[in-house]
Amino acid sequence: MSTSVSSVFDSIKMAPDDPILGLNEAFKEDPRKEKVNLGIGVYCTEDGKVPLLSCVEKTEKQMAEKGDPHTYLPISGIPDYDSGVQKLLFGPDSEVIKDKRAATVQTLGGTGALKEGADFLHSILDDPEVLVSTPTWGNHIAIFEHAGFKVGTYPYYDKATGKIEFDKMIDCLQSLEPKTVILMHACCHNPTGVDPTQEQWDEIVQVCIEKDLIPFLDIAYQGFGKDLDSDAYAIRQFADSGIRFIVASSFSKNFSLYGERVGALTVVCKDEDEAKRVLSQIKSLVRANYSNPPTHGAKIVATVLNDPELTEQWHKDLDEMRDRVKLMRKLLVESLKKQGSKKDFSFIENQNGMFSFSQLTPEQIERLRKDYGVYVVKSSRICVASLNKNNVDYTAKAICEVQE
Ligand code: KET
């Protein structure tokens, strides 16, 4: 039965499609046979499929045989999962772990970790303000705005050189009020693929300490840059410095567990007592948001991380994914050159992680989608991780043709 009584619902407007997930939907609906999805950050194999990692497959079989009931998890998630997260982030012999000064909760992916972290900070800061890099993953801005933050930006990527505007970034950080939250990508910056060097990270850590800033590190691609340990360099420098800071981490990409929503929020505190108090507050927030996290994905990760054989298999799976993305960067650059690209795209080979900031124009991006079925995010970000030997030449040819 419908009603004609007017309602506040009458004036609800249509929200815009998400620039990344909306594009993914449009790709799925595209009836063309020859199409390439370079939009969403999802790794695909040579056959264009999202892989089921062999370590995950093996663990799921073991889990199915065991047949555990589907009970509630604790609010903070599976304890072995949380401790596994800490070992990956800080290294197994870290003082942070020995001193028990980190509070970790299992979250709904990296996005959930960012949201719980933002809610937590909002509850303790007077006038919460966060600065994000220019550019950044678009959802960073939305998450912090929805959590009630004022969101500003700091200089990061210089379009002219394709490098970090490091001096400008540092000058900006130097000028900030104490307790400003600085959101940073710990590795494999999304969307640019350009990360600070280790020396630059050392300097960033120093400025954060001197200016009493609150570092918030997002690590969604650990293992896709160089390796699991090197990619955690920034996090480990912050940990060694003694400063309080926050980490949002995710296993969506490095375990290929996108839909299982496996992430973690970790707050590094002064000491064990502070960590306990922080954990209690975050648990209250989680309880009021979604009560407790889902079981399946975190059980897989906890099992793999706590079994040396499965861990070794995971490292192999991850190495394979990373090496293939690097190969695709090389093949794309070669193919663009071979097919007579007017623009020099060799910078793609030097970028880290799943993405490349391609510097294609909005018109070129539109033509790629309309005329060639090649889907690129509006910012010009290309997901190199969805290229393969069968679509790389087609993609390069299309990119060359839209330059005409
Ligand atoms: N941080 C960054 C930097 C990031 O790129 C993503 C996902 C996440 C967090 C969230 O991860 P998850 O564990 O799925 O909640 N990025 C890809 C997918 C998306 O937009 O949701 C992307 O940029 O395509």
Side-chain angles (χ1 to χ4, degrees):
M1 195 182 77
S2 70
T3 168
S4 57
V5 179
S6 74
S7 151
V8 284
F9 281 48
D10 295 342
S11 54
I12 295 174
K13 293 196 183 74
M14 202 62 190
D17 280 344
D18 181 79
I20 297 171
L21 298 186
L23 196 71
N24 204 41
E25 296 303 314
F27 175 81
K28 279 189 204 145
E29 280 163 24
D30 191 329
R32 283 174 284 189
K33 240 183 153 183
E34 192 130 64
K35 55 177 183 171
V36 188
N37 190 0
L38 305 182
I40 195 161
V42 169
Y43 173 93
C44 293
T45 60
E46 267 307 292
D47 335 321
K49 296 206 176 96
V50 179
L52 175 63
L53 300 191
S54 57
C55 64
V56 172
E57 193 175 4
K58 216 166 160 188
T59 307
E60 281 187 313
K61 275 194 190 132
Q62 286 174 11
M63 280 163 58
E65 274 162 26
K66 216 165 146 223
D68 279 342
H70 298 275
T71 183
Y72 285 131
L73 287 185
I75 298 173
S76 53
I78 301 174
D80 274 356
Y81 173 90
D82 293 335
S83 64
V85 166
Q86 292 195 357
K87 282 183 211 146
L88 264 182
L89 295 179
F90 306 120
D93 304 319
S94 161
E95 293 294 323
V96 168
I97 298 177
K98 275 191 205 136
D99 297 344
K100 301 194 170 109
R101 62 185 181 92
T104 297
V105 296
Q106 181 191 325
T107 56
L108 303 177
T111 309
L114 287 158
K115 173 69 167 114
E116 294 308 313
D119 282 352
F120 166 66
L121 287 173
H122 188 268
S123 74
I124 60 167
L125 292 172
D126 281 338
D127 247 328
E129 180 170 7
V130 65
L131 260 63
V132 300
S133 61
T134 309
T136 192
W137 181 51
N139 215 18
H140 279 155
I141 297 164
I143 291 167
F144 278 87
E145 276 180 356
H146 278 294
F149 273 73
K150 186 172 158 211
V151 180
T153 57
Y154 60 85
Y156 188 78
Y157 179 77
D158 180 1
K159 273 192 180 155
T161 60
K163 296 203 169 106
I164 299 178
E165 301 183 300
F166 190 66
D167 293 345
K168 283 193 187 159
M169 173 179 171
I170 291 291
D171 285 350
C172 175
L173 299 191
Q174 297 269 19
S175 73
L176 298 174
E177 291 293 320
K179 317 276 182 262
T180 308
V181 179
I182 305 298
L183 186 61
M184 291 173 279
H185 301 233
C187 68
C188 305
H189 184 272
N190 175 8
T192 67
V194 182
D195 295 316
T197 61
Q198 295 197 341
E199 292 70 34
Q200 288 174 331
W201 275 119
D202 297 346
E203 213 175 318
I204 294 168
V205 172
Q206 280 316 310
V207 179
C208 289
I209 294 171
E210 276 161 30
K211 294 289 160 185
D212 193 16
L213 306 175
I214 304 177
F216 195 139
L217 289 123
D218 180 0
I219 182 157
Y221 301 92
Q222 189 177 1
F224 275 92
K226 203 160 172 225
D227 56 63
L228 285 165
D229 288 324
S230 311
D231 291 354
Y233 180 83
I235 288 170
R236 294 179 190 182
Q237 290 310 108
F238 277 108
D240 288 349
S241 79
I243 192 176
R244 294 169 172 93
F245 68 105
I246 300 185
V247 183
S249 55
S250 167
F251 293 111
S252 298
K253 327 274 172 171
N254 57 16
F255 261 88
S256 192
L257 281 171
Y258 305 89
E260 294 299 338
R261 314 310 296 135
V262 265
L265 171 67
T266 299
V267 181
V268 181
C269 300
K270 186 180 72 167
D271 55 29
E272 184 179 358
D273 175 64
E274 189 176 281
K276 278 188 178 155
R277 286 181 283 119
V278 166
L279 183 65
S280 72
Q281 291 298 333
I282 297 172
K283 281 167 69 176
S284 300
L285 291 169
V286 167
R287 174 65 171 148
N289 270 339
Y290 56 86
S291 192
N292 50 72
T295 323
H296 188 73
K299 226 188 220 177
I300 296 171
V301 172
T303 307
V304 173
L305 294 184
N306 288 289
D307 176 314
E309 232 173 80
L310 287 168
T311 299
E312 203 186 317
Q313 186 58 56
W314 175 49
H315 291 175
K316 278 192 197 141
D317 291 337
L318 188 52
D319 290 348
E320 198 181 302
M321 290 196 282
R322 182 185 53 247
D323 291 346
R324 213 190 66 79
V325 178
K326 284 188 195 283
L327 176 66
M328 284 308 125
R329 289 185 181 280
K330 190 165 168 273
L331 294 186
L332 178 64
V333 171
E334 277 174 13
S335 188
L336 282 159
K337 236 185 243 163
K338 216 165 53 201
Q339 304 201 52
S341 170
K342 287 185 184 152
K343 188 176 161 63
D344 177 13
F345 281 103
S346 51
F347 60 86
I348 291 177
E349 270 200 77
N350 306 324
Q351 296 164 333
N352 299 321
M354 285 193 174
F355 305 114
S356 171
F357 211 42
S358 68
Q359 303 194 0
L360 291 163
T361 66
E363 295 74 35
Q364 291 169 341
I365 292 166
E366 177 66 10
R367 274 189 67 200
L368 278 173
R369 187 180 57 78
K370 261 175 86 188
D371 300 344
Y372 301 91
V374 175
Y375 285 67
V376 173
V377 181
K378 237 196 204 148
S379 66
S380 93
R381 187 191 86 173
I382 280 179
C383 179
V384 190
S386 22
L387 287 173
N388 58 54
K389 284 179 185 149
N390 300 314
N391 65 18
V392 67
D393 285 334
Y394 175 78
T395 303
K397 186 161 176 268
I399 293 175
C400 289
E401 283 174 12
V402 299
Q403 291 174 59
E404 298 300 323

